[in-house]
Every structure is written in C-alpha cells, then in structure tokens.
Amino acid sequence: MMSKRTTDVVAYLSWIGLLVAFVAGDRGASRFHLNQSLVIWLSGTVAGLVGRVLGWLPLVGWAVDLAVGLALVLCVVCWFIGIINAISGVERPVPLLGHVRLI
C-alpha cells in the first residue's frame, strides 16, 4: 500500500495514475486529492470531447474551440496547483473546480 503523500501525487499523474492511486493507495486519507484529481481529469476529458463534437460547426465552431481551449488551460492550471498541493501535503481546493465533490 502506498503512503498518503505518494497516493496524493500519483493520483494527479494521469488517468492511469488516478486508478492506481484509487486501487493501491491510501483511499481514506487521500480522499481529498483523489476527488480533486478526478474532477480535473473529468473536466478536461469532457471539454476535449465537446470540442471534438461541436468544434466543426460552421459559424460557432470557432467560439466552441475558444471556450474549450480556455477550459483546457484552466484544467492544466488546476492540475499544476493540485499536484503542487499534493507534494506539499496541503489540502487546498483548486480554483473553480475544487469545490465539486464526486468521491
């Protein structure tokens, strides 16, 4: 079993890291960072899918692409803040997405 800090950091590395942290990590102690990571990865995935599906529309495709690009930048910033918080051992919500609870 991984320690709390290791579980926290691994959860942010990728979807696979999130799954490994959830299965092999300290779920109870790392619930906060597991949730933060899940929300960030889901947000980025949904934004990417929306961009792929709606980005081709004439006249509004550019606006969809712009909105998706901004959402993905937000996800990257949140990911960076989250992994820094996990490394530091701090449980501070990331901007905008941090108050969503899925786990």
Side-chain angles (χ1 to χ4, degrees):
M1 182 184 236
M2 293 186 282
S3 70
K4 179 189 179 325
R5 185 165 294 175
T6 303
T7 303
D8 293 347
V9 173
V10 168
Y12 287 99
L13 297 181
S14 67
W15 274 108
I16 294 170
L18 178 60
L19 290 173
V20 168
F22 188 77
V23 171
D26 186 0
R27 274 188 300 223
S30 295
R31 178 178 229 107
F32 177 82
H33 285 290
L34 288 169
N35 181 72
Q36 296 278 286
S37 177
L38 178 63
V39 169
I40 293 167
W41 286 111
L42 278 177
S43 299
T45 300
V46 168
L49 289 173
V50 167
R52 298 287 268 179
V53 171
L54 300 178
W56 61 272
L57 292 173
L59 301 177
V60 295
W62 66 271
V64 170
D65 285 340
L66 178 63
V68 167
L70 292 174
L72 292 175
V73 167
L74 171 70
C75 288
V76 169
V77 169
C78 287
W79 174 84
F80 188 72
I81 291 169
I83 200 163
I84 294 298
N85 286 342
I87 291 169
S88 303
V90 176
E91 291 187 355
R92 185 177 310 127
V94 297
L96 297 176
L97 301 174
H99 297 289
V100 176
R101 297 285 178 246
L102 298 177
I103 298 176

